[in-house]
Amino acid sequence: MRLDLEEMEQFPTNKIEGFKERIEAMLPTLIEHRCSEGCRGGFFSRVERGTWMGHVIEHIALEIQTLAGMDTGFGRTRETKTLGTYNVVFSYTEENVGLFAAESAVAIAESLIAGTEYDLESDLQKMREIRERVRLGPSTGSIVEEAVSRNIPWIRLGTNSLVQLGHGINQMRFQATITCKTSSIAVDMACNKELTKKMLDMASIPVAKGSICVDEEDLAETINKIGYPIVLKPLDGNHGKGASINVTNWEDAVSGLAFAKEYSRRIIVEKFITGFDFRILVIDNKLVAAAKRVPAHVIGDGENSIQELIAIVNLDPRRGYGHENVLTQIDVDRDTEDLLGKLNYTLETIVESGEVVYLKSTANLSTGGTSVDITDMLHPENIFLAERISRVIGLDICGVDIMAENLTQPLKDNGGVILEVNAAPGFRMHLAPSEGLPRNVAAPVIDMLYPPGKSCRIPIIAVTGTNGKTTTTRLLAHIVKNNGYKVGFTTSDGIYIQNHMMEKGDTTGPQSAQYVLRDPTVEFAVLETARGGILRSGLGFSICDIGIITNIQEDHLGISDIHSLEDLAKVKATVVESIKKDGWAILNGDDEHCMKLGAELNCNVAYFSLDEESPFIKKLSAEGKTVAVYENGFITIKKGEWKIRIERATHVPLTLGGKAKFMIANVLAATLASYVWGFKTEDISLSLQTFIPSAAQTPGRMNIFEFRKFKVLIDFAHNASGYRGVEEYLQSVDASKKIGIIAGIGDRRDEDIRECATIAARMFDHIIIRQEKYLRGRSEEEIINLILEGITASGQDVTYEIIPKETEAIRHAIKFAEEGSFITCLSDVVTNAIEIVQEYLDKENEHGIV
């Protein structure tokens, strides 16, 4: 969070009377925070000596999450260049909880400063509730953790437990323990308990006798057939909801029927089988775990009531709220009261020492039950039976519920039966049993989804830099597509899947990257990655194969605490620091900041340059390194002293006949990336020749419209480096008059706006100043005055006029264009400019007039 301390900037903690004592009293566990002191109590020492409130809030935010059951500990607080304003960074396990913790930490700090009471427990409970609402369940979470341990990327789809593993065409999806490989027919069968019993019975697998009932008449008929005791449970139920067990008389049977009908219209009535409740987990038709499940219960001590015994059991640190711990707290409900009623007990009853009182009719962990691992105790015939059941029903992840005296003997010998077959069985009882060995049952799920040799990722090329990102991205996507891949790419004008625009707009942030990586048709991703998205939310991927920095030039300085090119270089470095160890960083060898970055990277590095004779490039060549250079009119790859000429620049349409040097630099970057990836040089050459710059292919990137008597150029140049690139190109353009349409961008520094205007005055004979958009906190008049100052400072003999609206400025320039004129529109909304110019060009083509 960005925190403005206001007047508290003048009051570090040692200047606030009683602050240390109050924070120690409210949060004594902060003594474990070592802080920069590196020892227990280090943070409290900092508070005593005096530290600023941003630092305190960071530690509070971390500690209250830990107290709420979400242990996390990374934090940093850094002052910005604005006095009293800090960036406070801290980690979280659940994002929504982290956001709440941020607000809570500020409120707690304010309370500690003022010396007022604060209800900390209320905030902690709120955080627990938020976590339970948004967290992944224990089964889903275990599969994600196993995937992370194997370096498999994952994306949460929506707010429930639907998760995507892997990227693009190599993705796999699962929800809880239902996977994309799970048969829908098998799930339907498992959910239809009557059909499941029939299928198992036909396969000579022992099941409990019984039938389906919808009313008391059916119930009476079934009881007459199978006799008491019976079990009633909803046909469509789960987690033991609506079940009544060991029913021994008609009155309780009718009551149990009514209870079950709250959950399902049709009710299963079966013979009650005595024994223990077992769950066997089968994954990919192989048994991986087995557990004995014990219903929630208390053991009498001859002193405390049942209610008091429940409270004592719930003090067990292994029990928690919802799924926060390995066991769940025991709650009293109708099922509990019914079971106690059968024993003529109430919650106030004091039972004899050693007596076990069961509080739930089912052994589900979600209702407070416990589990004992018995995986290593199963008879081989029972293992065979469970694995066969998974194939009979057809489930890839299958939970088999068994009632039997034990599983060390075959079921046919001890009279045990199969109660149910579960699709989406819970993993918690196996991951953290109350007794016995924990089983990593998530591992076989990942083994099934990603067997040896199956990739979970798709190739990712990430492109960043100040200028040239979009053009380089589009050219790379063209090269990749021509090599037979289905490409997804993001640019500042939209998201494209296989050259189809899916979303329009500036899509260079992490959400757009994940859009591409979520798409199941994409085989290769090329992602434009801009400064703004990195600063807001980081990257949309953890690892990329190739990272490109086109250049690092002055732009967006003074925004989001980025005040210098060194600051900007750190932001851009995020992309190349994410490259895998055997991947490649493609850097600009003519840019001093890129050269500094390259020396610090832990991956392969290759440079491109417009100057083959630069000392840096010559040094790399002497060392046998791979570089891309522009030499003797050719786009060339050099390996040591060997040259591989890919194509003559004049044959590459994007370079505008070799005149646009900054476009040659973009071509070099894309060519070098393609070469180190492994594409053939002849395929790269063909792609360079067939990539035709146009308003459709590269909107706003040196788009030239040829009228009969004059030409119009539209470009997205919006900073000094971009202006200089256009200036260099215009020097090669022969025109009777060069007209420029320019504007300033309000959130740029004064000197940046002036410098762009100065460059414009050098390259144009006449300037039209327009300023209707991107004021960003400034007035139109203020920006125009800065532009005029820049024009005056140039000392050039240039005329100008002010036409605020872009559409009117373009129409005016076209309407009064002289023969041989060259109009350049440097637009920040290229779509509008292109549409207007295209409209005039269409009119000329149709009617012969503009």
Side-chain angles (χ1 to χ4, degrees), residues 624-766:
K625 300 290 177 63
T626 300
V627 296
V629 294
Y630 177 55
E631 54 85 29
N632 295 317
F634 282 90
I635 306 295
T636 301
I637 299 290
K638 285 188 70 177
K639 296 181 74 173
E641 295 304 318
W642 287 84
K643 291 184 179 180
I644 307 169
R645 285 181 168 173
I646 305 297
E647 190 52 67
R648 189 180 289 276
T650 53
H651 295 172
V652 180
L654 193 57
T655 69
L656 303 181
K659 296 175 182 176
K661 290 292 174 60
F662 60 95
M663 282 297 188
I664 294 175
N666 296 335
V667 171
L668 287 170
T671 299
L672 184 54
S674 304
Y675 179 79
V676 298
W677 174 255
F679 293 139
K680 295 178 181 177
T681 55
E682 56 266 36
D683 292 334
I684 299 172
S685 172
L686 181 62
S687 297
L688 296 181
Q689 294 176 68
T690 56
F691 186 76
I692 312 298
S694 65
Q697 180 88 294
T698 53
R701 274 73 186 176
M702 300 299 284
N703 304 143
I704 297 178
F705 298 82
E706 296 197 17
F707 291 78
R708 291 175 187 172
K709 295 183 178 180
F710 57 90
K711 295 179 181 178
V712 178
L713 167 68
I714 296 177
D715 193 78
F716 188 59
H718 56 280
N719 54 46
S721 177
Y723 270 53
R724 283 191 288 268
V726 174
E727 179 185 24
E728 186 178 11
Y729 169 73
L730 288 179
Q731 287 171 359
S732 66
V733 171
D734 185 22
S736 60
K737 188 173 186 180
K738 295 176 183 177
I739 301 167
I741 302 172
I742 67 169
I745 299 177
D747 60 3
R748 301 307 195 267
R749 300 175 303 177
D750 290 1
E751 57 264 41
D752 296 331
I753 297 173
R754 290 193 198 99
E755 185 177 5
C756 286
T758 298
I759 298 168
R762 290 202 306 257
M763 61 176 159
F764 300 127
D765 302 310
H766 180 71

Side-chain angles (χ1 to χ4, degrees), residues 536-557:
R536 282 193 304 274
S537 307
L539 302 174
F541 50 87
S542 57
I543 297 173
C544 64
D545 298 87
I546 296 176
I548 300 173
I549 301 182
T550 57
N551 45 64
I552 299 172
Q553 301 292 327
E554 292 188 344
D555 194 17
H556 300 282
L557 299 184

Side-chain angles (χ1 to χ4, degrees), residues 52-89:
W52 273 262
M53 208 48 63
H55 183 213
V56 172
I57 287 169
E58 168 208 321
H59 280 268
I60 293 174
L62 290 169
E63 186 59 20
I64 60 177
Q65 289 183 89
T66 299
L67 291 174
M70 289 155 277
D71 196 6
T72 187
F74 177 85
R76 293 288 185 274
T77 299
R78 296 289 182 267
E79 189 174 10
T80 67
K81 289 194 168 72
T82 304
L83 182 66
T85 300
Y86 294 77
N87 282 321
V88 180
V89 176

Side-chain angles (χ1 to χ4, degrees), residues 461-596:
I461 299 179
V463 183
T464 192
T466 303
N467 296 315
K469 298 186 295 294
T470 299
T471 302
T472 305
T473 298
R474 283 181 168 276
L475 177 55
L476 271 167
H478 179 73
I479 295 170
V480 172
K481 176 177 175 288
N482 284 354
N483 277 271
Y485 288 93
K486 293 176 181 174
V487 190
F489 61 98
T490 61
T491 70
S492 56
D493 50 76
I495 300 173
Y496 295 80
I497 305 294
Q498 299 178 50
N499 273 11
H500 296 275
M501 180 186 275
M502 312 308 296
E503 294 285 339
K504 189 175 183 179
D506 187 345
T507 57
T508 54
Q511 289 187 340
S512 302
Q514 291 216 332
Y515 182 106
V516 170
L517 298 176
R518 284 197 307 265
D519 193 290
T521 67
V522 172
E523 298 172 341
F524 203 122
V526 184
L527 307 172
E528 181 179 345
T529 309
R531 166 209 62 88
I534 296 172
L535 287 169
R536 282 193 304 274
S537 307
L539 302 174
F541 50 87
S542 57
I543 297 173
C544 64
D545 298 87
I546 296 176
I548 300 173
I549 301 182
T550 57
N551 45 64
I552 299 172
Q553 301 292 327
E554 292 188 344
D555 194 17
H556 300 282
L557 299 184
I559 303 170
S560 302
D561 301 318
I562 306 303
H563 296 280
S564 67
L565 284 175
E566 287 72 21
D567 292 341
L568 188 59
K570 288 180 183 177
V571 178
K572 303 294 185 183
T574 308
V575 170
V576 290
E577 287 168 354
S578 73
I579 299 168
K580 61 185 186 180
K581 196 165 185 177
D582 61 347
W584 285 86
I586 307 299
L587 304 177
N588 190 331
D590 300 328
D591 188 302
E592 61 174 310
H593 297 285
C594 285
M595 291 189 287
K596 287 179 185 176

Side-chain angles (χ1 to χ4, degrees), residues 32-144:
E32 301 299 336
H33 288 218
R34 302 167 73 86
C35 205
S36 56
E37 305 292 293
C39 61
R40 188 172 185 267
F43 172 67
F44 282 151
S45 296
R46 292 286 305 277
V47 171
E48 187 172 16
R49 293 202 307 272
T51 188
W52 273 262
M53 208 48 63
H55 183 213
V56 172
I57 287 169
E58 168 208 321
H59 280 268
I60 293 174
L62 290 169
E63 186 59 20
I64 60 177
Q65 289 183 89
T66 299
L67 291 174
M70 289 155 277
D71 196 6
T72 187
F74 177 85
R76 293 288 185 274
T77 299
R78 296 289 182 267
E79 189 174 10
T80 67
K81 289 194 168 72
T82 304
L83 182 66
T85 300
Y86 294 77
N87 282 321
V88 180
V89 176
F90 62 89
S91 55
Y92 58 79
T93 58
E94 294 292 339
E95 183 177 3
N96 287 8
V97 174
L99 292 170
F100 181 88
E103 295 181 5
S104 175
V106 172
I108 290 169
E110 289 174 339
S111 170
L112 290 169
I113 292 165
T116 56
E117 291 293 319
Y118 193 88
D119 187 356
L120 177 62
E121 186 53 43
S122 173
D123 280 6
L124 298 182
Q125 182 59 23
K126 178 69 174 176
M127 284 190 280
R128 295 185 190 109
E129 291 170 3
I130 294 170
R131 176 195 56 199
E132 289 307 305
R133 189 171 68 245
V134 302
R135 76 186 301 192
L136 295 172
S139 301
T140 309
S142 70
I143 297 172
V144 167

Side-chain angles (χ1 to χ4, degrees), residues 769-773 775 777-787 802-805:
I769 303 169
R770 55 100 191 160
Q771 193 65 52
E772 59 173 321
K773 294 181 179 176
L775 302 179
R778 295 184 190 255
S779 68
E780 183 180 313
E781 183 182 10
E782 183 184 359
I783 298 174
I784 290 174
N785 284 338
L786 288 170
I787 293 172
I802 300 170
I803 304 177
K805 287 194 173 181

